[in-house]
Amino acid sequence: KAGVTQTPRYLIKTRGQQVTLSCSPISGHRSVSWYQQTPGQGLQFLFEYFSETQRNKGNFPGRFSGRQFSNSRSEMNVSTLELGDSALYLCASSLHASGQETQYFGPGTRLLVL
Amino acid sequence: KQEVTQIPAALSVPEGENLVLNCSFTDSAIYNLQWFRQDPGKGLTSLLLIQSSQREQTSGRLNASLDKSSGRSTLYIAASQPGDSATYLCAVIKGGSYIPTFGRGTSLIVHP
């Protein structure tokens, strides 16, 4: 069974640009969660999608958004990039609900904002 | 606001030692607690999940305990091996919203 895949793996952008990251969950998994990991703040929850609906949202500004498609694949978008958005962005999938059961993480997308 | 603290922040031990990693949290209204490992530059791998009604979970050489009333969890690693070298993170899942709060992790090096 294929694991969680994330594309692209590495990305370099400049301040003010926008970026879209993609996540394909394990087949059959309907919940996808996104996380941001930085040396300063550690690992922080961004949001969770289930059946194309945002179910939970962390404490991030509106520049961070996401969506989920009918095949459970998910994208997250960051608009008007800031230097502080440089981070490893991780997505995780689970069968039904991220917080209630084992999550399976992808390898992450490393974003560098210059 | 839930705060999760992991002690120690870093640990270097010789192969074969038994280890205890600690995780403490401030709000005991949790749904479950999860332990993960992260290898450098990679995603997380789930190790153990303890429901709030449970006291411990075991998987191979790993044993995790949970004391919700005192806001503590420990991850015990028996007979450590160099392949155990990684960062270990605990995540506390809030009841109701199921939003996770992660600790900063314990960076473990097991040398031969």
Side-chain angles (χ1 to χ4, degrees):
Chain A
K1 204 176 202 181
V4 178
T5 58
Q6 292 186 244
T7 56
R9 292 293 313 279
Y10 303 93
L11 207 49
I12 299 176
K13 291 285 187 180
T14 55
R15 278 182 300 174
Q17 287 187 309
Q18 76 165 16
V19 67
T20 299
L21 312 181
S22 181
C23 172
S24 292
I26 291 172
S27 178
H29 285 192
R30 296 170 65 189
S31 168
V32 174
S33 296
W34 288 91
Y35 299 86
Q36 181 196 66
Q37 187 174 33
T38 62
Q41 299 297 320
L43 193 61
Q44 295 183 284
F45 172 81
L46 279 158
F47 29 65
E48 179 198 6
Y49 285 86
F50 179 82
S51 293
E52 303 177 65
T53 302
Q54 187 180 87
R55 186 157 61 179
N56 278 310
K57 188 177 190 308
N59 189 26
F60 278 81
R63 299 186 298 107
F64 291 81
S65 63
R67 59 177 176 168
Q68 186 180 33
F69 302 95
S70 59
N71 61 359
S72 293
R73 189 178 70 85
S74 177
E75 290 180 347
M76 68 162 282
N77 184 76
V78 188
S79 62
T80 319
L81 284 166
E82 301 177 358
L83 295 179
D85 297 333
S86 294
L88 179 66
Y89 290 88
L90 296 164
C91 87
S93 76
S94 56
L95 271 172
H96 304 296
S98 66
Q100 300 178 52
E101 56 197 25
T102 298
Q103 295 182 78
Y104 297 85
F105 280 77
T109 293
R110 188 165 294 281
L111 171 65
L112 177 62
V113 181
L114 302 176
Chain B
K1 178 190 171 188
Q2 179 75 272
E3 292 182 4
V4 180
T5 304
Q6 291 189 246
I7 293 173
L11 193 58
S12 179
V13 300
E15 182 177 5
E17 281 204 3
N18 300 324
L19 309 171
V20 175
L21 308 183
N22 298 291
C23 172
S24 62
F25 48 95
T26 54
D27 185 348
S28 62
I30 67 170
Y31 182 79
N32 65 46
L33 184 145
Q34 302 182 24
W35 283 94
F36 298 87
R37 72 173 274 170
Q38 185 174 30
D39 293 283
K42 297 190 177 178
L44 278 65
T45 300
S46 178
L47 297 173
L48 291 164
L49 185 156
I50 312 176
Q51 300 290 352
S52 62
S53 58
Q54 297 176 315
R55 295 301 299 267
E56 65 178 324
Q57 280 284 354
T58 298
S59 176
R61 295 183 293 110
L62 304 179
N63 175 276
S65 66
L66 174 64
D67 184 342
K68 207 171 68 163
S69 60
S70 67
R72 292 180 189 174
S73 176
T74 59
L75 178 66
Y76 177 82
I77 303 176
S80 58
Q81 303 171 357
D84 295 330
S85 299
T87 297
Y88 290 81
L89 296 132
C90 75
V92 175
I93 313 308
K94 181 178 172 64
S97 68
Y98 309 116
I99 291 177
T101 301
F102 284 82
R104 300 303 298 271
T106 293
S107 176
L108 172 66
I109 296 176
V110 181
H111 48 87

